[in-house]
Structures are given as C-alpha cells and as structure tokens.
Amino acid sequence: QAQLVESGGGLVQAGGSLRLSCAASGRPFSSYAMGWFRQAPGKEREVVAAISWNGDSTYYADSVKGRFTISRDNARSTVFLQMNSLKPEDTAVYYCAADQIFRVVVYGRVDYWGQGTRVTVSS
C-alpha cells in the first residue's frame, strides 16, 4: 500500500526555519518525481516545489524561490523541504506528493498524496 507521511510542521516565528520530511513507502518512490504542495485557509492547493527522481531537476514556485530548498534521499525514500526566512503568508497545510512524471508533479495531477503537516508562521 502506497503511503506518504509528512512530518516537521509546527509553529515558528517569521524569519525562522523549518524542515519538512516526507517518508514514502509501498512503491518504488526512489524512481518517482516528488513534490511539496500547500493549501492555506480559503485558498486552493498550490505547488511549492518539485524534484525529479534523481534530483537533477527541481522546480520552485516564485513565492518561495531563494528561501525553500527541496531535496531527497533515495536510500531512505525520503524527500525534504528546507524552509528558511519564513513569512506569515507561508502558513498552510503542506502536502507531499509523488508521481512517475516530473511534469505531472509540477502541475499537481499526481497519483499519490500525503495527509499533510501544518505550518504556522507568526508575525
């Protein structure tokens, strides 16, 4: 059974940092593209960052470029999102996602989703 489990969310002050993790199991996720999405209250879910199966390609939303970094450890079937210089507008539930095709992840039409982890940034 495919499963994506996020962790690392929490409450942080503006300017602070958090590192999200997503542990994948049940599929050969080391060969899948992975991504992070977020959904703020009253807003649609949006892509934050994506990474190809081997890490050679990455994508970032304009709103997080230069502040967030996506990475992966295929030996541990885990993908990370390092979030620095956090802003109140980064407050959202963050979701991990996976698909066999990188472009599909970027556009959000993925096969697998995690349950989400909440990030709250106070001003």
Side-chain angles (χ1 to χ4, degrees):
Q1 181 178 349
Q3 193 172 22
L4 302 175
V5 180
E6 303 95 335
S7 61
L11 174 64
V12 63
Q13 288 189 331
S17 298
L18 281 175
R19 189 192 196 205
L20 305 183
S21 299
C22 172
S25 62
R27 288 288 187 275
F29 284 112
S30 59
S31 64
Y32 279 55
M34 305 288 291
W36 287 95
F37 292 74
R38 67 186 181 188
Q39 186 167 20
K43 294 188 177 181
E44 293 187 356
R45 186 153 51 186
E46 62 177 359
V47 61
V48 175
I51 188 168
S52 60
W53 72 273
N54 60 0
D56 282 355
S57 297
T58 56
Y59 168 86
Y60 294 95
D62 287 343
S63 58
V64 306
K65 281 181 182 176
R67 299 189 298 122
F68 291 12
T69 302
I70 189 170
S71 62
R72 64 189 299 161
D73 181 344
N74 283 343
R76 295 163 55 191
S77 294
T78 303
V79 64
F80 305 97
L81 185 67
Q82 178 66 44
M83 305 186 296
N84 299 329
S85 303
L86 282 161
K87 305 175 181 180
E89 50 264 44
D90 294 319
T91 294
V93 177
Y94 283 72
Y95 298 90
C96 178
D99 196 273
Q100 291 183 303
I101 302 173
F102 177 70
R103 184 172 63 253
V104 169
V105 174
V106 172
Y107 285 105
R109 298 174 183 176
V110 300
D111 287 336
Y112 303 103
W113 291 96
Q115 294 299 306
T117 184
R118 185 174 301 276
V119 172
T120 303
V121 184
S122 63
S123 57

